[in-house]
Amino acid sequence: MFEYAVVGSGPAGISAALQLNGPETCLIDVGDISEARFSPSSLKEALVGSHAKEVLGDHWEMLDNLINPTNCHPKLRAQAMRYICRGEPFKVFGRAGLLLAKGCGSFAKGGMANVWGGQLLRYNENDLGRMRDWPISIDELNPFYSELERHIGISGINDDMGDYLGGGVNLLPPTPLCGTASKLLQKFNKKKKNGHVRGLSLGHARLAVLTKPYRGREAYSFTETEFFRVGQEGIYSPAQTLNDLKKENKIKHFDRHKLLSYEELEDRVILNLLSVDDNCHVRVEAKKLLLGCGTIQSTKLILENKGMNGRELPFIDHPPTLLPIFFPMYFGTRLPMSSYPIQLIGSHYKVNCNDMISFYYTGGMLWSDMVPDIPMPLHYGFQALKVLIGGMLVAQIWEDAPANPNNKISLKSNGEMEISYPCYDVANSAKLLATSIRSLGGLTSMRLASLPIPSWGFHHAGTLPMRENPSLFETHVDGRLWDSKRVYIIDGSVLPSLPAKNCSLTIMANSARIAVLLKKKSKKVCS
Amino acid sequence: MMKKSTWESERQDLMQEARVLFSSFFAGAPSKKILELYVNAHLEIEGLGKPSIQESITIYKILKYDLKPLEIEPWLRRKGRRHLLTQKLMLMMYICECGGYAPQIRSANVGFFYSVLYLLLLGIKVVCSLLRGKWQVMRYKLV
């Protein structure tokens, strides 16, 4: 019998496994890996050579937007990326019950982190204070933020966003900027007063992307292939930590196993696993079960365990507002052909608007993806992009996402999860950004703002929120289900609300916090 | 035998279609690889090549009367399910971008003033193209 069984090899599962590593811990995951190869070493090589089928996919995966425009995140379309979203299916309904999308969770080794942008940001006291419903303090998360940052290797710089981003110790050099982002930052630094220009603060992004070798891992080569290939050396994935733990025999890994159900007894939890390769059932026993399968998948397991088909739980998504911004002075700039999508981070926090703005360079995408959205003949769209793209960034704007009683998730009788998300809107601070960016030479219009459908970005939370005194379908501060002694939730399900900042590092830190509490409790019991 | 010659004739039609669509984007003839990819896509992409009768007639007229597909397409572009002409032009666009015709691999620093001039001229070309396209749509009753 194991002391701890951790389910899921994404950010939450691996963060807990790192704390609990040892012979008494097992990690269970389906662990899908990509079967498709993307052999070109860079996007440029892919486009000049005879790699059309590798880029477009053996089954034309990149062209699933050909017949109908797709809601699929551009990072999930390529052939080699498709395996990431083959987990539990779910449907998303919007206003008036309209079906917006069908999606799946992830059974991939490393989880959805295989396609993350790598922005790992700390919350601070202000973030948790604003939300008012977090039952833990930032002091409880800070030590784990530092430990994880040291483990992962974060690139960035202590600049005007330092207050906002926190941490900033032992940062690796920042990732290279494209011409426009670099000039935008220079202009910001020249014009700023009190760390902002018309309310907008700007700085280098903090990314889990290595700009120099770190702890035995090579630096990233910035080949613009992030939309086509996973497992790239230099971009952190929890799968790397899992491989290290296995190599050092620090964990028992039930690879290619899916948790079907569990039964909690007085002194243990019995896990019913399915070996996905040979359909055999495997029984594992552990004193404690930690579920880190991702919000939707963990929630499904709990609802199934409780026999609660139809029961609605709160659901928080974090869809960003997308706003293209043009910098006419930088039109006609030569394209770098070596860049990273996330360029800069910004916020209006100095004027009490607590948004988070990531500025993206679109160089790593196929232009054919963008041209149909330009209202002109297709070939002229290409010609326009030739001149515009060098002077264009896309802002992704996030705002605080408190729980909304109208946004819910439930388990249907056919075993599928359904999300009803009628309440979402374009970020209010998009208008503020449109004004503030003008002082830095940027032009945009709210008419260009778009809001992807809920669930598009996979920042999910709030289904089993942690509380001081949890009631039905809530969790204790130590991650335990409301009515359980042995079952813990360690992923985004337990976050009661989402401040504007990216939640990935906080999910990992909270998972580590829960794991350490568990370990202390176990030691106390033993002694 | 009958089926083989039907498929062969369809294949030839698709290749001819590919040549016309390619030449609306680029000068010169498409490579064998591009033609093959275009034809194979019609076999492999579910839903492509299964248009409405109206859409098929539109494609037929464009090929028969040697019309300009890129000028016509913006007037047939729609939200939701794409018009067959949009689908075929997008397919050609993707194949060419991945087949050595991507403009981004040949970018150069041209500067602000050249860019503004370029965009102004492009704007004029776009307007003229749209007007010609509208005329073709009305003249040949394309839907």
Side-chain angles (χ1 to χ4, degrees), chain A residues 107 131 166 180 213 242 263 277 293 311 316 376 378 390 396 489:
Chain A
F107 285 158
M131 306 317 291
T180 295
L242 176 58
E263 185 188 357
D277 289 332
C293 319
R311 166 89 194 200
I316 301 173
M376 60 174 71
L378 296 171
Q396 285 201 20
I489 313 296

PDB file of all heavy atoms in Angstrom, chain A residues 107 131 166 180 213 242 263 277 293 311 316 376 378 390 396 489:
ATOM      1  N   PHE A 107      -5.105  13.892 -21.342  1.00  0.00           N
ATOM      2  CA  PHE A 107      -4.476  12.706 -20.768  1.00  0.00           C
ATOM      3  C   PHE A 107      -2.985  12.677 -21.097  1.00  0.00           C
ATOM      4  O   PHE A 107      -2.320  11.658 -20.956  1.00  0.00           O
ATOM      5  CB  PHE A 107      -5.130  11.425 -21.315  1.00  0.00           C
ATOM      6  CG  PHE A 107      -6.484  11.108 -20.743  1.00  0.00           C
ATOM      7  CD1 PHE A 107      -7.366  10.289 -21.445  1.00  0.00           C
ATOM      8  CD2 PHE A 107      -6.886  11.600 -19.518  1.00  0.00           C
ATOM      9  CE1 PHE A 107      -8.618   9.971 -20.918  1.00  0.00           C
ATOM     10  CE2 PHE A 107      -8.134  11.287 -18.988  1.00  0.00           C
ATOM     11  CZ  PHE A 107      -9.009  10.467 -19.692  1.00  0.00           C
ATOM     12  N   MET A 131      -9.777  39.568  -4.265  1.00  0.00           N
ATOM     13  CA  MET A 131     -10.774  38.523  -4.512  1.00  0.00           C
ATOM     14  C   MET A 131     -11.596  38.221  -3.273  1.00  0.00           C
ATOM     15  O   MET A 131     -12.749  37.825  -3.376  1.00  0.00           O
ATOM     16  CB  MET A 131     -10.102  37.230  -5.015  1.00  0.00           C
ATOM     17  CG  MET A 131      -9.199  37.378  -6.228  1.00  0.00           C
ATOM     18  SD  MET A 131      -9.860  38.431  -7.548  1.00  0.00           S
ATOM     19  CE  MET A 131     -11.214  37.446  -8.149  1.00  0.00           C
ATOM     20  N   GLY A 166       6.485  40.298  -8.585  1.00  0.00           N
ATOM     21  CA  GLY A 166       7.092  39.737  -7.381  1.00  0.00           C
ATOM     22  C   GLY A 166       8.280  38.849  -7.715  1.00  0.00           C
ATOM     23  O   GLY A 166       8.718  38.757  -8.852  1.00  0.00           O
ATOM     24  N   THR A 180       9.518  45.258 -32.819  1.00  0.00           N
ATOM     25  CA  THR A 180       8.464  46.158 -32.325  1.00  0.00           C
ATOM     26  C   THR A 180       8.387  46.148 -30.808  1.00  0.00           C
ATOM     27  O   THR A 180       8.271  47.198 -30.178  1.00  0.00           O
ATOM     28  CB  THR A 180       7.110  45.753 -32.929  1.00  0.00           C
ATOM     29  OG1 THR A 180       7.174  45.958 -34.330  1.00  0.00           O
ATOM     30  CG2 THR A 180       5.973  46.558 -32.350  1.00  0.00           C
ATOM     31  N   PRO A 213      21.646  27.443 -20.457  1.00  0.00           N
ATOM     32  CA  PRO A 213      21.530  26.109 -19.842  1.00  0.00           C
ATOM     33  C   PRO A 213      21.292  26.234 -18.336  1.00  0.00           C
ATOM     34  O   PRO A 213      21.831  27.120 -17.674  1.00  0.00           O
ATOM     35  CB  PRO A 213      22.895  25.466 -20.132  1.00  0.00           C
ATOM     36  CG  PRO A 213      23.393  26.167 -21.344  1.00  0.00           C
ATOM     37  CD  PRO A 213      22.882  27.580 -21.244  1.00  0.00           C
ATOM     38  N   LEU A 242       8.880  14.741 -14.164  1.00  0.00           N
ATOM     39  CA  LEU A 242       8.464  13.338 -14.009  1.00  0.00           C
ATOM     40  C   LEU A 242       9.585  12.405 -14.491  1.00  0.00           C
ATOM     41  O   LEU A 242       9.916  11.424 -13.809  1.00  0.00           O
ATOM     42  CB  LEU A 242       7.176  13.074 -14.789  1.00  0.00           C
ATOM     43  CG  LEU A 242       6.671  11.636 -14.801  1.00  0.00           C
ATOM     44  CD1 LEU A 242       6.431  11.127 -13.382  1.00  0.00           C
ATOM     45  CD2 LEU A 242       5.381  11.515 -15.620  1.00  0.00           C
ATOM     46  N   GLU A 263     -12.564   4.241  -3.980  1.00  0.00           N
ATOM     47  CA  GLU A 263     -13.448   3.990  -2.843  1.00  0.00           C
ATOM     48  C   GLU A 263     -12.685   4.344  -1.580  1.00  0.00           C
ATOM     49  O   GLU A 263     -11.587   3.826  -1.342  1.00  0.00           O
ATOM     50  CB  GLU A 263     -13.844   2.511  -2.823  1.00  0.00           C
ATOM     51  CG  GLU A 263     -14.871   2.181  -1.748  1.00  0.00           C
ATOM     52  CD  GLU A 263     -15.117   0.682  -1.606  1.00  0.00           C
ATOM     53  OE1 GLU A 263     -14.517  -0.094  -2.399  1.00  0.00           O
ATOM     54  OE2 GLU A 263     -15.866   0.302  -0.710  1.00  0.00           O
ATOM     55  N   ASP A 277      -3.509   0.381 -22.325  1.00  0.00           N
ATOM     56  CA  ASP A 277      -2.938  -0.347 -23.453  1.00  0.00           C
ATOM     57  C   ASP A 277      -3.512  -1.755 -23.578  1.00  0.00           C
ATOM     58  O   ASP A 277      -3.652  -2.261 -24.687  1.00  0.00           O
ATOM     59  CB  ASP A 277      -1.408  -0.415 -23.316  1.00  0.00           C
ATOM     60  CG  ASP A 277      -0.782   0.952 -23.547  1.00  0.00           C
ATOM     61  OD1 ASP A 277      -1.391   1.756 -24.300  1.00  0.00           O
ATOM     62  OD2 ASP A 277       0.289   1.232 -22.994  1.00  0.00           O
ATOM     63  N   CYS A 293      -5.920  16.072 -11.848  1.00  0.00           N
ATOM     64  CA  CYS A 293      -6.155  15.708 -13.254  1.00  0.00           C
ATOM     65  C   CYS A 293      -6.568  16.896 -14.108  1.00  0.00           C
ATOM     66  O   CYS A 293      -6.899  16.721 -15.270  1.00  0.00           O
ATOM     67  CB  CYS A 293      -7.262  14.656 -13.348  1.00  0.00           C
ATOM     68  SG  CYS A 293      -7.186  13.405 -12.101  1.00  0.00           S
ATOM     69  N   ARG A 311     -25.898  17.329 -10.920  1.00  0.00           N
ATOM     70  CA  ARG A 311     -25.539  18.324  -9.906  1.00  0.00           C
ATOM     71  C   ARG A 311     -24.698  19.418 -10.549  1.00  0.00           C
ATOM     72  O   ARG A 311     -23.709  19.131 -11.214  1.00  0.00           O
ATOM     73  CB  ARG A 311     -24.737  17.650  -8.785  1.00  0.00           C
ATOM     74  CG  ARG A 311     -24.031  18.604  -7.850  1.00  0.00           C
ATOM     75  CD  ARG A 311     -24.878  19.002  -6.726  1.00  0.00           C
ATOM     76  NE  ARG A 311     -24.331  20.149  -6.019  1.00  0.00           N
ATOM     77  CZ  ARG A 311     -24.660  20.468  -4.771  1.00  0.00           C
ATOM     78  NH1 ARG A 311     -25.518  19.731  -4.108  1.00  0.00           N
ATOM     79  NH2 ARG A 311     -24.139  21.527  -4.202  1.00  0.00           N
ATOM     80  N   ILE A 316     -15.305  28.427 -13.176  1.00  0.00           N
ATOM     81  CA  ILE A 316     -14.668  29.701 -13.550  1.00  0.00           C
ATOM     82  C   ILE A 316     -13.742  29.452 -14.724  1.00  0.00           C
ATOM     83  O   ILE A 316     -12.897  28.561 -14.693  1.00  0.00           O
ATOM     84  CB  ILE A 316     -13.844  30.271 -12.377  1.00  0.00           C
ATOM     85  CG1 ILE A 316     -14.722  30.495 -11.154  1.00  0.00           C
ATOM     86  CG2 ILE A 316     -13.175  31.590 -12.786  1.00  0.00           C
ATOM     87  CD1 ILE A 316     -13.949  30.906  -9.916  1.00  0.00           C
ATOM     88  N   MET A 376     -10.417  41.718 -47.133  1.00  0.00           N
ATOM     89  CA  MET A 376      -9.948  42.088 -48.468  1.00  0.00           C
ATOM     90  C   MET A 376      -9.628  40.804 -49.219  1.00  0.00           C
ATOM     91  O   MET A 376      -9.576  39.734 -48.619  1.00  0.00           O
ATOM     92  CB  MET A 376      -8.722  43.003 -48.376  1.00  0.00           C
ATOM     93  CG  MET A 376      -7.520  42.430 -47.664  1.00  0.00           C
ATOM     94  SD  MET A 376      -6.066  43.508 -47.742  1.00  0.00           S
ATOM     95  CE  MET A 376      -6.520  44.844 -46.670  1.00  0.00           C
ATOM     96  N   LEU A 378      -7.866  37.682 -50.668  1.00  0.00           N
ATOM     97  CA  LEU A 378      -6.903  36.904 -49.884  1.00  0.00           C
ATOM     98  C   LEU A 378      -5.453  37.241 -50.224  1.00  0.00           C
ATOM     99  O   LEU A 378      -4.606  37.362 -49.335  1.00  0.00           O
ATOM    100  CB  LEU A 378      -7.148  35.401 -50.092  1.00  0.00           C
ATOM    101  CG  LEU A 378      -8.502  34.892 -49.588  1.00  0.00           C
ATOM    102  CD1 LEU A 378      -8.738  33.452 -50.039  1.00  0.00           C
ATOM    103  CD2 LEU A 378      -8.613  34.987 -48.080  1.00  0.00           C
ATOM    104  N   GLY A 390       5.346  42.953 -38.941  1.00  0.00           N
ATOM    105  CA  GLY A 390       6.515  43.428 -38.198  1.00  0.00           C
ATOM    106  C   GLY A 390       6.164  44.524 -37.209  1.00  0.00           C
ATOM    107  O   GLY A 390       6.864  44.736 -36.229  1.00  0.00           O
ATOM    108  N   GLN A 396      -3.310  40.115 -25.202  1.00  0.00           N
ATOM    109  CA  GLN A 396      -4.292  39.250 -24.544  1.00  0.00           C
ATOM    110  C   GLN A 396      -4.520  39.849 -23.160  1.00  0.00           C
ATOM    111  O   GLN A 396      -3.563  39.995 -22.399  1.00  0.00           O
ATOM    112  CB  GLN A 396      -3.778  37.817 -24.409  1.00  0.00           C
ATOM    113  CG  GLN A 396      -3.799  37.042 -25.695  1.00  0.00           C
ATOM    114  CD  GLN A 396      -3.777  35.529 -25.495  1.00  0.00           C
ATOM    115  OE1 GLN A 396      -4.096  35.012 -24.425  1.00  0.00           O
ATOM    116  NE2 GLN A 396      -3.397  34.808 -26.525  1.00  0.00           N
ATOM    117  N   ILE A 489      -7.863  17.357  -3.301  1.00  0.00           N
ATOM    118  CA  ILE A 489      -7.862  17.949  -4.638  1.00  0.00           C
ATOM    119  C   ILE A 489      -6.734  18.975  -4.685  1.00  0.00           C
ATOM    120  O   ILE A 489      -6.633  19.841  -3.795  1.00  0.00           O
ATOM    121  CB  ILE A 489      -9.193  18.650  -4.964  1.00  0.00           C
ATOM    122  CG1 ILE A 489     -10.374  17.770  -4.597  1.00  0.00           C
ATOM    123  CG2 ILE A 489      -9.256  19.064  -6.429  1.00  0.00           C
ATOM    124  CD1 ILE A 489     -10.473  16.478  -5.375  1.00  0.00           C
TER     125      ILE A 489
END
